[in-house]
Amino acid sequence: MKDREQQQMHTQANEDRDRDPTVSRLLIHLKEMRESVPVNYQLKQDLKKKLIAQMTQMGYPSANLHSTQPVAKKKRGWLLWLLSLAVLLSGWIIWVISAQVHISDWQPVTAVNEIHFQDADLVAFQNRSVYLSENALLFYNDQGQQVQTISLPDREGKILGLASSPMGDQVAWIKKGSRSNEIWISQIIGGGSRLVMETTPLSFGGMSWSLDGKWLYASLGGEIWQISTFSHETSILAKGTNPAVSPNGSYLAVVHDEQMEVWEATGKPVTKLGAGHSPVWIDDESILYVDEQNGIMICQPFEEKEDRESVSAMNSTEGIPIIRLSADRKKILWGEMAENGGKIYIGHLNIR
Amino acid sequence: MGMVEQSLEDPEMQNIKENTNIEEREFSELYDEYFDRVNRYLRCRADNMWDADDLTTTVFLKALEKFHQYDRRNPFASWIFRIAHNAFIDYLRKKREYPMKPSDWMFEEDDETWQPEKKALSKEQVEFLHEKLTQLTQDQRDVLTLRYFADLKISQVAEVLGKSESAVKMMSYRGLRQLYRLYEGE
């Protein structure tokens, strides 16, 4: 039903354009405007909790309640029951034997092979990826075309890394000068940049955003700094590199002495996960990471039984592998980073 | 077997079987899918994002309350946007009673909670579009925002507004032309 609707909508949009070509530019503008309107994902999460609580109060059988079904559906009887049971049983078998997460349709972004970049990330909700070059943020669409460039403020030093915001509206990046490290945030719309934090020059080991966009987590000098994106508030939470904060903001995954660890966001170590790097949270209970053989793995840090599964055939043959997830957890970027650039692949993440 | 035979003979069942467009998803799934569109639509229409988010909350709470009344043979998009549109009309009515000029407060407050949201659309872009939309008729505004910001089909816009499809097409066409002229006039 959804596909058909989308197809029809597409056809009607084309009809609108065909009817009067003078408005086609306006339609493109309206579409761009619509896509650039940010959605309040924090509200989406909070409201869902509220709705589920309300459903429970209203006496729905479960949080994932089925609402009123068509009258006829209730009449299908025991045959339907048997059929459902068979489907459930086969579903359960597939569930048991297959991986929780599957990555498909890996596509190389060949256009970036020729450019020098230090780091890469996916831009949330925009089908774009962003690359940090010496003096600019370069944006490429999924077809490999460069679609936007944002010039960076002219500052002395070497660019180190970037992280795209969960709302898809900003990119944080870091530059190391001879006298200081600087973390900046650039606006994707408008291209303005502002300095968020300045420290003495420290080694850099990765950066990520909290899901609500209020905090940056950066590894500086082997410590994980929590940096407010609104004020000058900063604090040091943990030791390590490659910080990744869980979607609910409660936990940090880091790499410390080549071992992955999970810390409470308040700065208390929780558990050690073994060798690996480049962790990213799929949800509040699962982490994707790159293992020692440079393949993509998944683990559940809070499960008693240590269970790790390979989720992709991607294995880095050259360069240091990194993974990045889009904020909606639908896409994954695989990078094989070399000194000045690297190879980038983007795949679809299918989460069960 | 009796039940099966009975249900196959049931004309309502036949009707439903013939109609392949039955919405079978659960409320929570529909919420996941439609939240973004509703939130974006209201953010395009309300004077500020706080009001839009309050309205979004109202819409989904009401939708849950009335979900048992939703006829699954009709598109969920039309149903949820009818609620969204009515909530917006109520909001306009209340605003008329307690008017406030959007530009006085839309981006002025230093509320860090919403800072990233505010920055996604520049003040100029939002104000520009709002200003141009206000120069259209109420019907044209409704049609264009439902069509192009809520991403509804013509037939769904017609259902939401209780108008015929041909009337909606005409309003859409005229509204677009008018908006185009307003943009061109800049």
Side-chain angles (χ1 to χ4, degrees):
Chain A
M1 182 173 186
K2 194 179 150 192
D3 289 346
R4 191 177 305 124
E5 265 184 31
Q6 279 175 346
Q7 204 177 358
Q8 283 173 355
M9 271 192 271
H10 191 69
T11 313
Q12 289 199 359
N14 287 339
E15 280 172 8
D16 284 335
R17 275 193 291 274
D18 295 343
R19 190 184 300 132
D20 188 345
T22 58
V23 297
S24 63
R25 268 194 307 149
L26 177 63
L27 288 177
I28 292 165
H29 175 72
L30 290 178
K31 188 166 179 269
E32 281 169 359
M33 286 291 282
R34 180 179 74 216
E35 284 168 3
S36 68
V37 175
V39 171
N40 187 343
Y41 289 100
Q42 189 60 50
L43 174 68
K44 188 175 186 178
Q45 255 182 4
D46 295 344
L47 181 57
K48 188 163 185 181
K49 283 179 196 161
K50 195 173 174 182
L51 289 169
I52 287 172
Q54 197 150 330
M55 291 170 192
T56 314
Q57 270 184 1
M58 288 162 79
Y60 281 102
S62 72
N64 279 336
L65 73 163
H66 286 270
S67 65
T68 314
Q69 300 292 322
V71 178
K73 208 175 176 184
K74 293 178 181 171
K75 295 179 182 175
R76 288 180 193 172
W78 60 271
L79 194 62
L80 201 60
W81 264 101
L82 276 179
L83 196 65
S84 312
L85 197 66
V87 170
L88 277 175
L89 196 65
S90 42
W92 180 77
I93 292 166
I94 293 167
W95 175 283
V96 168
I97 61 173
S98 67
Q100 275 185 313
V101 172
H102 173 65
I103 303 171
S104 58
D105 303 330
W106 282 113
Q107 296 291 333
V109 187
T110 48
V112 301
N113 291 351
E114 306 304 318
I115 61 169
H116 288 184
F117 63 93
Q118 198 61 36
D119 201 357
D121 202 354
L122 291 163
V123 182
F125 316 110
Q126 292 184 33
N127 293 327
R128 294 200 285 176
S129 43
V130 56
Y131 302 85
L132 179 65
S133 77
E134 194 52 52
N135 45 28
L137 294 169
L138 309 172
F139 295 80
Y140 285 77
N141 65 17
D142 285 356
Q143 288 72 46
Q145 296 154 327
Q146 191 178 340
V147 288
Q148 190 182 354
T149 303
I150 294 177
S151 299
L152 303 180
D154 188 16
R155 309 285 284 192
E156 168 266 334
K158 181 178 163 44
I159 45 129
L160 298 173
L162 61 67
S164 174
S165 75
M167 309 289 180
D169 55 343
Q170 303 176 90
V171 177
W173 50 275
I174 181 166
K175 194 161 204 174
K176 185 181 182 182
S178 56
R179 283 176 295 181
S180 66
N181 275 8
E182 291 175 353
I183 295 181
W184 291 75
I185 291 180
S186 296
Q187 300 294 322
I188 292 180
I189 296 175
S193 299
R194 65 189 166 97
L195 183 63
V196 178
M197 195 188 79
E198 199 169 359
T199 65
T200 52
L202 296 166
S203 62
F204 171 71
M207 180 163 62
S208 64
W209 288 75
S210 64
L211 194 62
D212 59 10
K214 291 182 188 175
W215 301 98
L216 281 170
Y217 295 85
S219 169
L220 297 166
E223 293 176 312
I224 308 297
W225 291 55
Q226 185 188 34
I227 302 150
S228 169
T229 57
F230 307 105
S231 65
H232 297 296
E233 194 183 340
T234 58
S235 51
I236 294 173
L237 300 178
K239 283 188 185 303
T241 59
N242 295 198
V245 67
S246 62
N248 63 11
S250 302
Y251 296 98
L252 269 176
V254 300
V255 176
H256 188 216
D257 293 336
E258 298 182 354
Q259 302 287 308
M260 288 196 306
E261 296 177 358
V262 173
W263 291 57
E264 281 182 7
T266 49
K268 188 180 154 198
V270 178
T271 183
K272 294 192 176 190
L273 301 172
H277 68 95
S278 201
V280 284
W281 294 81
I282 296 178
D283 53 38
D284 291 322
E285 280 151 18
S286 313
I287 293 175
L288 275 188
Y289 67 98
V290 179
D291 74 353
E292 290 165 296
Q293 281 75 45
N294 288 340
I296 302 176
M297 304 288 286
I298 186 172
C299 70
Q300 275 77 35
F302 307 117
E303 292 286 320
E304 280 185 24
K305 186 182 157 205
E306 194 176 304
D307 198 9
R308 291 155 175 249
E309 278 183 277
S310 171
V311 292
S312 172
M314 292 300 275
N315 277 87
S316 175
T317 50
E318 49 187 293
I320 301 163
I322 58 162
I323 49 177
R324 305 276 187 264
L325 287 191
S326 63
D328 59 4
R329 304 296 190 261
K330 286 184 177 166
K331 281 181 164 184
I332 181 167
L333 179 147
W334 167 267
E336 295 174 8
M337 307 300 290
E339 179 64 27
N340 256 323
K343 289 184 177 169
I344 299 292
Y345 298 83
I346 294 174
H348 289 282
L349 190 67
N350 309 297
I351 302 173
R352 200 171 57 205
Chain B
M1 288 302 286
M3 280 183 80
V4 179
E5 282 161 13
Q6 190 186 355
S7 64
L8 286 174
E9 284 161 11
D10 185 340
E12 191 180 358
M13 180 67 189
Q14 287 290 356
N15 234 349
I16 289 169
K17 273 169 76 82
E18 281 161 22
N19 185 353
T20 51
N21 287 346
I22 292 176
E23 179 55 77
E24 290 184 327
R25 285 172 290 177
E26 301 164 359
F27 183 81
S28 54
E29 280 181 81
L30 292 165
Y31 170 83
D32 287 340
E33 182 180 330
Y34 282 91
F35 179 92
D36 298 10
R37 280 168 71 181
V38 170
N39 192 226
R40 277 208 176 102
Y41 167 68
L42 292 168
R43 282 183 165 211
C44 289
R45 299 219 68 178
D47 284 341
N48 61 77
M49 292 181 180
W50 292 271
D51 284 355
D53 290 348
D54 284 349
L55 282 171
T56 308
T57 304
T58 306
V59 167
F60 282 100
L61 287 173
K62 188 162 269 183
L64 175 63
E65 192 188 316
K66 306 275 180 196
F67 195 54
H68 63 282
Q69 295 174 6
Y70 164 53
D71 183 343
R72 286 172 176 274
R73 287 167 291 191
N74 297 323
F76 184 75
S78 311
W79 189 75
I80 193 73
F81 275 102
R82 198 177 308 130
I83 297 176
H85 184 68
N86 288 341
F88 176 70
I89 298 293
D90 282 348
Y91 160 80
L92 283 184
R93 201 171 293 134
K94 280 178 196 152
K95 212 166 61 86
R96 233 170 274 137
E97 288 165 22
Y98 308 99
M100 191 178 279
K101 198 180 161 201
S103 55
D104 287 346
W105 58 307
M106 192 165 177
F107 288 93
E108 302 304 324
E109 287 179 26
D110 189 20
D111 178 351
E112 66 176 38
T113 315
W114 302 111
Q115 199 82 8
E117 307 284 334
K118 280 193 258 179
K119 284 176 179 158
L121 261 186
S122 74
K123 180 181 175 179
E124 289 76 21
Q125 278 180 294
V126 177
E127 284 188 347
F128 189 77
L129 181 67
H130 263 266
E131 189 209 319
K132 298 303 164 207
L133 285 173
T134 53
Q135 294 179 48
L136 304 180
T137 66
Q138 180 68 44
D139 280 343
Q140 286 171 343
R141 257 199 313 271
D142 288 343
V143 168
L144 291 190
T145 48
L146 284 166
R147 180 89 176 88
Y148 297 105
F149 286 93
D151 212 7
L152 294 185
K153 294 188 289 180
I154 291 282
S155 59
Q156 293 171 340
V157 177
E159 269 186 64
V160 171
L161 299 177
K163 295 183 187 300
S164 70
E165 284 189 34
S166 53
V168 167
K169 276 182 190 166
M170 188 52 74
M171 280 184 260
S172 172
Y173 179 64
R174 286 181 178 159
L176 278 174
R177 290 294 301 268
Q178 178 65 11
L179 195 59
Y180 179 75
R181 277 194 287 270
L182 292 167
Y183 267 84
E184 285 291 288
E186 284 304 309

